[in-house]
């Protein structure tokens, strides 16, 4: 929850997670600005456009996974996921 406070606008949050629960928390932080599962701020207008409070991050690209070559050299890399979010 401290990430939006310490990263300046235009700065990037880069997280390498090794477990699916860590990856889920990272995804929620980038998407909603919180790690809490129950607090999802999806306020939409009658047209389906987001109209809630501004989101602190926007996702940059898709999640990164290790290549087959990397996994053959380092078998632990198969579970690693890289996510990048840019501060709005």
């Amino acid at each position: 929850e401290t990430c939006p406070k310490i990263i300046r606008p235009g700065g990037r949050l880069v997280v390498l997670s090794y477990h699916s629960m860590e990856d889920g928390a990272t995804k929620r932080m980038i998407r909603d600005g919180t790690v809490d599962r129950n607090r999802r701020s999806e306020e939409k207008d009658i047209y389906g456009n987001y109209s809630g409070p501004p989101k602190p991050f926007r996702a940059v690209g898709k999640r990164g996974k290790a290549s087959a070559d990397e996994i053959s050299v380092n078998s632990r890399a198969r579970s690693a996921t890289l996510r990048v979010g840019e501060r709005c």
Side-chain angles (χ1 to χ4, degrees), residues 41-62:
S41 57
E42 285 296 318
E43 298 176 20
K44 295 186 177 184
D45 61 8
I46 60 172
Y47 302 108
N49 299 321
Y50 178 76
S51 64
K55 298 190 178 202
F57 294 100
R58 70 172 185 84
V60 177
K62 296 185 178 184

Side-chain angles (χ1 to χ4, degrees), residues 1-73:
E1 307 249 341
T2 307
C3 294
K5 297 175 187 172
I6 62 174
I7 298 176
R8 293 184 197 144
R12 292 194 174 185
L13 171 69
V14 179
V15 180
L16 184 62
S17 57
Y18 294 95
H19 192 272
S20 61
M21 291 182 82
E22 293 173 345
D23 186 47
T26 303
K27 184 167 60 170
R28 282 190 301 275
M29 174 55 71
I30 292 173
R31 182 188 64 203
D32 301 331
T34 182
V35 181
D36 187 14
R37 288 181 186 210
N38 300 327
R39 199 180 103 202
R40 191 160 182 199
S41 57
E42 285 296 318
E43 298 176 20
K44 295 186 177 184
D45 61 8
I46 60 172
Y47 302 108
N49 299 321
Y50 178 76
S51 64
K55 298 190 178 202
F57 294 100
R58 70 172 185 84
V60 177
K62 296 185 178 184
R63 69 181 176 138
K65 296 290 284 182
S67 66
D69 294 334
E70 176 67 24
I71 293 171
S72 66
V73 173

